[in-house]
Amino acid sequence: MSASAIFILDLKGKVLICRNYKGNMDMNEIDHFMPILMKREEEAEMTPLVTRGSSHFLWIKHNNLYLVAMTKKNANASLVYAFLYKIIQVFKEYFKEVEEESIRDNFVTVYELMDEVMDFGFPQTTDSKILQEYITQRGHKLEVGAPRPPATVTNAVSWRSEGIKYRKNEVFMDVIESVNLLVSASGSVLRSEIVGTIKLKVCLSGMPELRLGLNDKVLFEITGREKSKTVELEDVKFHQCVRLSRFENDRTISFIPPDGESELMSYRLNTTVKPLIWIESVIEKYSHSRVEIKVKARSQFKSRSTANNVSILVPVPSDADSPKFKTSTGSAKWVPEKSVVQWTIKSFPGGKEYMMRAHFGLPSVDSDELDAKRPITVDFEIPYFTVSGIQVRYLKIIEKSGYHALPWVRYITQSGDYQLRTN
């Protein structure tokens, strides 16, 4: 990666904190960063990388801060940006809100963290759980003799401490799929994808090894079980604990898990999804004096499943007033600050159809705003259900002491960016 220095600046470009990792650059070079950025902004040429002579500034903005990495080398830019976002994540674990005030209030901790996460321009320990073992916000007393680094830093397994003990050994696994969908006014699906994550909460003693088996299409083809129901995972990303060589060789997901909560993996499925909740709407405007909205919602999944906390947001003109509603189930309310009607249905079983009617008055002044045609958006969550059909076939827990551990698996499908365009 090879970043020479990292700076945290306020919105005016004033340096709040900096760390020179290599000592091969003039630290005053940072004074040129903000003027160049402002000039680029004026010329509408904003780029995430700014160059002056042989100095390169790679930057991100977060709240009222700029994080800037400075280098003279032809560094791996994607790794630098991944590192900058990782620093933000680490700071969030410590201070919750990452902004100018929290940086000023935690100067000592920030400096300690910046010393630990990078060494001579190369990333080191960036796992906040491990960092919290030896960088606390209570400050540090001066100790006589050379301090020993925590075992996790020198371990082969840097994301898990040794000597963890639980009275009851359990693993909780959540398979969460978000459905992103865009449907045209004529009813055809323009865009659909499933974004999945597998989250873990691990309460296990010692140094257990876990093996996870999914109904992965590639694995089933290797083992000659092609007739079984499988899913074709794309863009698979793993936590650093997963042995990538094992996965690449035989699709085995084998790992020593971090303690507590973590995201084990994420994946994407670029498949055509049948809309789980289908919306039909008719919006009629009468002589610029009133608007009537009729919305029909239909759940297109099996009756044994139920969508919870369904929220359907139907756009209305911003100058509408005097709302009246009628629903066959749930409740409707006007949210004037968003110019929408919100229809809420607590429980929406599969194979059901519900109606909502809304009536609004409109000022007599002609308004063409309705022609902007904002889409209807839907929020929902369906427990015990995955739209892709992904299944956890097994979760084996192996630990040298031989204790018995219970794995719990839960499936959830929820709406991501779920939009249906209106006529």
Side-chain angles (χ1 to χ4, degrees):
M1 168 179 152
S2 204
S4 298
I6 302 282
F7 297 84
I8 301 176
L9 314 176
D10 67 13
L11 287 178
K12 292 176 182 170
K14 185 185 168 205
V15 177
L16 301 175
I17 278 188
C18 62
R19 184 69 177 83
N20 190 348
Y21 292 104
K22 288 191 154 190
N24 65 345
M25 290 193 78
D26 178 359
M27 295 295 275
N28 293 325
E29 278 286 305
I30 194 67
D31 295 341
H32 300 287
F33 168 73
M34 211 62 193
I36 296 169
L37 200 67
M38 302 302 280
K39 189 166 181 276
R40 290 277 180 92
E41 197 171 345
E42 281 170 26
E43 294 168 358
E45 285 183 7
M46 288 290 276
T47 59
L49 190 148
V50 174
T51 299
R52 181 184 179 271
S54 60
S55 301
H56 306 292
F57 305 98
L58 296 90
W59 63 276
I60 62 170
K61 187 170 182 256
H62 181 83
N63 291 336
N64 54 359
L65 298 170
Y66 287 97
L67 266 77
V68 186
M70 194 162 76
T71 180
K72 272 190 186 308
K73 283 195 165 187
N74 185 11
N76 181 335
S78 60
L79 193 56
V80 174
Y81 289 117
F83 178 76
L84 293 176
Y85 283 110
K86 186 67 184 175
I87 288 182
I88 294 285
Q89 202 179 323
V90 169
F91 288 167
K92 275 183 183 170
E93 295 282 333
Y94 272 82
F95 324 128
K96 302 291 180 260
E97 281 297 316
V98 182
E99 56 181 5
E100 186 181 336
E101 196 177 337
S102 61
I103 296 293
R104 288 185 186 279
D105 289 348
N106 296 280
F107 253 42
V108 174
T109 308
V110 172
Y111 267 119
E112 286 185 326
L113 287 169
M114 288 178 82
D115 272 348
E116 291 299 333
V117 294
M118 187 177 271
D119 185 28
F120 197 67
F122 295 95
Q124 298 297 304
T125 308
T126 57
D127 191 304
S128 52
K129 280 193 186 128
I130 304 308
L131 289 163
Q132 281 166 4
E133 286 187 21
Y134 60 104
I135 295 180
T136 69
Q137 285 169 284
R138 291 191 294 276
H140 290 261
K141 292 174 187 167
L142 215 60
E143 289 181 18
V144 180
R148 288 183 61 191
T152 36
V153 176
T154 52
N155 267 355
V157 182
S158 64
W159 55 86
R160 186 180 177 90
S161 306
E162 289 188 8
I164 295 170
K165 283 192 172 68
Y166 283 97
R167 222 174 48 216
K168 191 177 183 184
N169 290 292
E170 295 177 305
V171 180
F172 301 89
M173 178 175 280
D174 280 350
V175 181
I176 302 164
E177 290 192 339
S178 295
V179 180
N180 296 331
L181 188 81
L182 179 61
V183 178
S184 73
S186 61
S188 56
V189 175
L190 300 175
R191 179 176 70 92
S192 72
E193 67 170 3
I194 301 161
V195 178
T197 53
I198 295 182
K199 293 187 176 177
L200 289 178
K201 185 181 177 187
V202 175
C203 306
L204 295 174
S205 307
M207 276 283 173
E209 181 175 330
L210 273 62
R211 284 182 200 154
L212 170 65
L214 303 170
N215 57 335
D216 170 16
K217 186 179 180 190
V218 179
L219 171 67
F220 276 39
E221 283 171 359
I222 295 167
T223 53
R225 284 180 288 176
E226 292 177 48
K227 287 176 184 170
S228 306
K229 191 183 176 189
T230 60
V231 290
E232 193 167 357
L233 304 176
E234 297 173 56
D235 293 348
V236 181
K237 294 184 183 74
F238 289 113
H239 186 280
Q240 61 173 336
C241 68
V242 174
R243 294 186 179 92
L244 290 180
S245 55
R246 286 281 313 263
F247 183 74
E248 281 159 11
N249 285 341
D250 58 13
R251 303 291 279 196
T252 300
I253 301 170
S254 169
F255 56 99
I256 294 169
D259 187 45
E261 293 181 11
S262 62
E263 186 176 297
L264 178 69
M265 63 180 280
S266 65
Y267 59 89
R268 190 176 58 83
L269 292 159
N270 213 347
T271 53
T272 304
V273 181
K274 182 183 175 186
L276 296 167
I277 293 179
W278 180 257
I279 306 289
E280 288 176 33
S281 65
V282 179
I283 300 172
E284 291 183 45
K285 200 172 171 186
Y286 295 95
S287 63
H288 313 302
S289 62
R290 63 192 172 95
V291 63
E292 282 193 6
I293 299 167
K294 294 173 195 157
V295 178
K296 184 159 67 176
R298 186 169 70 246
S299 52
Q300 302 193 129
F301 45 88
K302 292 197 170 109
S303 57
R304 65 170 178 263
S305 296
T306 299
N308 295 333
N309 303 317
V310 178
S311 171
I312 300 164
L313 298 179
V314 185
V316 294
S318 59
D319 55 352
D321 58 26
S322 318
K324 290 176 190 163
F325 305 111
K326 194 176 180 185
T327 60
S328 60
T329 192
S331 62
K333 68 172 182 179
W334 182 32
V335 187
E337 63 272 20
K338 292 183 181 173
S339 301
V340 294
V341 172
Q342 182 175 18
W343 181 17
T344 306
I345 303 166
K346 273 265 184 245
S347 179
F348 199 148
K352 294 283 183 186
E353 191 171 286
Y354 299 123
M355 293 282 294
M356 186 271 289
R357 289 170 186 264
H359 179 285
F360 284 90
L362 285 176
S364 55
V365 179
D366 189 11
S367 167
D368 294 326
E369 203 185 332
L370 199 63
D371 299 332
K373 300 278 186 352
R374 288 180 295 140
I376 290 172
T377 58
V378 188
D379 282 324
F380 59 84
E381 189 173 273
I382 309 173
Y384 320 113
F385 174 84
T386 59
V387 69
S388 71
I390 194 169
Q391 286 173 352
V392 174
R393 291 173 40 250
Y394 61 82
L395 183 61
K396 291 178 184 166
I397 301 158
I398 305 145
E399 214 277 330
K400 63 184 177 190
S401 64
Y403 60 69
H404 181 63
L406 288 170
W408 303 89
V409 181
R410 183 170 63 164
Y411 298 95
I412 302 164
T413 289
Q414 60 192 25
S415 54
D417 183 13
Y418 195 103
Q419 299 189 349
L420 300 99
R421 290 180 179 165
T422 55
N423 286 313

